[in-house]
Amino acid sequence: LMPRLNLLEVLQGDHKVIKQGAIQTCELLARRLGRALEPYTVAWLPYILQILGQEGGSKPEVRQCCLEAMDAMMATASPAAIRRLLPRLVGTVEQESEGWRSRAAAVVWLGALTVAAPAFLRAHLGRVLPPLVSALGDAHGQVQQAARHALGRYGRVLRSPELVALLPILLDALADPPTHATKALERLLTTRFAHLVDGASLALLEPLLRRALLDRSAGAADNKRRAAQILANLATSLVDPIDLTPSLPSLLPALRDCLSDPVPLVRSTAARVLGMLVRRVAIEDGRSCPPIDSLLPNLLAELRGSGAVQKPLSPLNPQTSTNSKVDREGCAQALSETLAAFGPERIRLVLEAE
């Protein structure tokens, strides 16, 4: 039956009326056949999203057909199908060239994963959350609204009751950091956590902490210290190293950037937190993590002034390392904290090598 219908070729065609009929057929088949239709669902979705973006504005009936077909497919999608659909959905949200209706629909679908596949989503939040957070600043208001609603639904997959209670404040901070970031960081810093912070909860905090650590606006020093202290609190006992490790490739370079901050208290706080992370992940848990493993050699290289170390670049931090006196002081503080975490044997080996 499916080869005879040839729906994929129709969806790629130019005849708008026939395409609308094909979309309605996709919806009917999804409702009738359920998961048996999954191989075709994965192939149809990109074209339905494309049709929604191109023709959904001028024809409300086309928009309605697309949304109903997508809902029918999502209702019966298995984790295996969602794993294959996820890259396309995330790519649609990230591509500004896509129509805003396509981006909004993809955001809605990503939010619907909290109901369709919460266990799968909990394991892949690091891939899903960044584009949703980015969509909060989209140029179109309806994409922003869809992103906020989708992120609000992610409270269902968070296991930390304290962070679930703070979710509205965190969403405000992610949507408008200059206005709400300070309040969110203060609330996080003063909250008494009685439960462990799981990986899904940490994935939600990661963009807020990273942005605060990389902030170079006037008066950003206080927020840098708050973010570093929050990370220190999380690293001590609130987050299992298994959940902490995936966030380190993003957060550790941001902490290293604070070592060149002109405010001494920011540098010392960042150095202390780096030492705590080394102790928690590499020493107590014995876990191998490339950002942690390369930290000590990079600090030594920068102190030698070899120029071999490039500081991490980001849209928030376009500067490069100048190896100034402030940089060297920050590196020295971080080196002392890191060596203290590794213990006397590592100190002896470093001194012998130098």
Side-chain angles (χ1 to χ4, degrees):
L1 175 62
M2 299 306 296
R4 290 173 59 189
L5 289 175
N6 202 13
L7 292 174
L8 186 59
E9 183 176 336
V10 175
L11 291 173
Q12 294 175 293
D14 297 326
H15 200 294
K16 296 182 179 180
V17 175
I18 296 179
K19 281 198 291 187
Q20 183 178 344
I23 294 170
Q24 291 173 323
T25 305
C26 293
E27 177 196 352
L28 177 61
L29 290 172
R31 296 190 188 281
R32 295 287 185 178
L33 301 180
R35 292 190 175 181
L37 196 69
E38 281 186 355
Y40 298 96
T41 297
V42 174
W44 293 339
L45 175 67
Y47 299 101
I48 294 178
L49 281 171
Q50 185 178 13
I51 293 169
L52 177 63
Q54 293 176 350
E55 304 174 23
S58 58
K59 293 189 176 182
E61 63 276 11
V62 174
R63 178 170 65 251
Q64 188 65 24
C65 285
C66 291
L67 294 175
E68 290 177 355
M70 292 167 65
D71 289 341
M73 295 175 189
M74 177 59 72
T76 58
S78 69
I82 292 173
R83 185 177 293 107
R84 295 179 63 188
L85 292 173
L86 188 60
R88 174 60 187 180
L89 293 172
V90 171
T92 300
V93 177
E94 292 176 336
Q95 289 294 329
E96 294 185 1
S97 58
E98 298 278 357
W100 70 264
R101 289 180 178 82
S102 295
R103 298 202 307 277
V107 166
V108 171
W109 261 48
L110 291 175
L113 293 180
T114 58
V115 178
F120 171 84
L121 181 63
R122 192 176 290 114
H124 294 81
L125 272 183
R127 182 72 180 99
V128 176
L129 281 179
L132 286 180
V133 172
S134 174
L136 289 172
D138 193 271
H140 201 282
Q142 292 199 27
V143 178
Q144 296 177 17
Q145 185 178 359
R148 185 176 180 88
H149 179 70
L151 285 168
R153 301 178 70 177
Y154 276 65
R156 301 182 183 185
V157 300
L158 303 182
R159 292 178 175 173
S160 171
E162 294 84 3
L163 287 181
V164 172
L166 294 176
L167 190 58
I169 298 174
L170 296 177
L171 293 182
D172 287 338
L174 291 172
D176 187 5
T179 305
H180 300 287
T182 299
K183 179 182 177 181
L185 293 171
E186 288 176 346
R187 289 292 301 274
L188 284 170
L189 199 55
T190 57
T191 297
R192 296 174 63 92
F193 286 88
H195 303 81
L196 287 176
V197 176
D198 61 304
S201 302
L202 184 60
L204 185 64
L205 294 179
E206 181 184 323
L208 175 63
L209 296 178
R210 184 174 183 275
R211 186 178 184 94
L213 291 170
L214 291 172
D215 190 5
R216 291 186 176 274
S217 62
D222 289 338
N223 277 352
K224 288 187 177 184
R225 287 192 296 105
R226 293 185 184 103
Q229 187 58 53
I230 291 168
L231 187 54
N233 295 343
L234 293 173
T236 50
S237 59
L238 291 176
V239 180
D240 190 286
I242 296 177
D243 295 324
L244 183 61
T245 302
S247 296
L248 291 182
S250 171
L251 293 176
L252 210 64
L255 270 174
R256 282 210 54 207
D257 182 79
C258 292
L259 297 178
S260 60
D261 192 271
V263 180
L265 189 55
V266 173
R267 298 198 299 272
S268 61
T269 303
R272 180 171 55 85
V273 176
L274 283 171
M276 294 175 66
L277 289 173
V278 170
R279 185 176 295 107
R280 177 69 167 155
V281 175
I283 307 303
E284 296 178 2
D285 191 63
R287 187 170 297 276
S288 177
C289 177
I292 292 288
D293 298 339
S294 62
L295 179 61
L296 186 58
N298 285 348
L299 291 173
L300 288 169
E302 189 158 343
L303 275 176
R304 295 189 194 104
S306 64
V309 177
Q310 290 285 333
K311 286 192 176 174
L313 302 180
S314 76
L316 295 175
N317 176 26
Q319 299 185 9
T320 56
S321 176
T322 58
N323 208 24
S324 66
K325 179 182 178 182
V326 170
D327 293 330
R328 294 172 64 83
E329 287 179 356
C331 283
Q333 289 177 302
L335 181 62
S336 64
E337 296 284 353
T338 302
L339 287 174
F342 277 118
E345 182 62 23
R346 178 61 67 89
I347 296 175
R348 183 183 65 81
L349 292 174
V350 169
L351 291 176
E352 290 178 355
E354 292 297 314

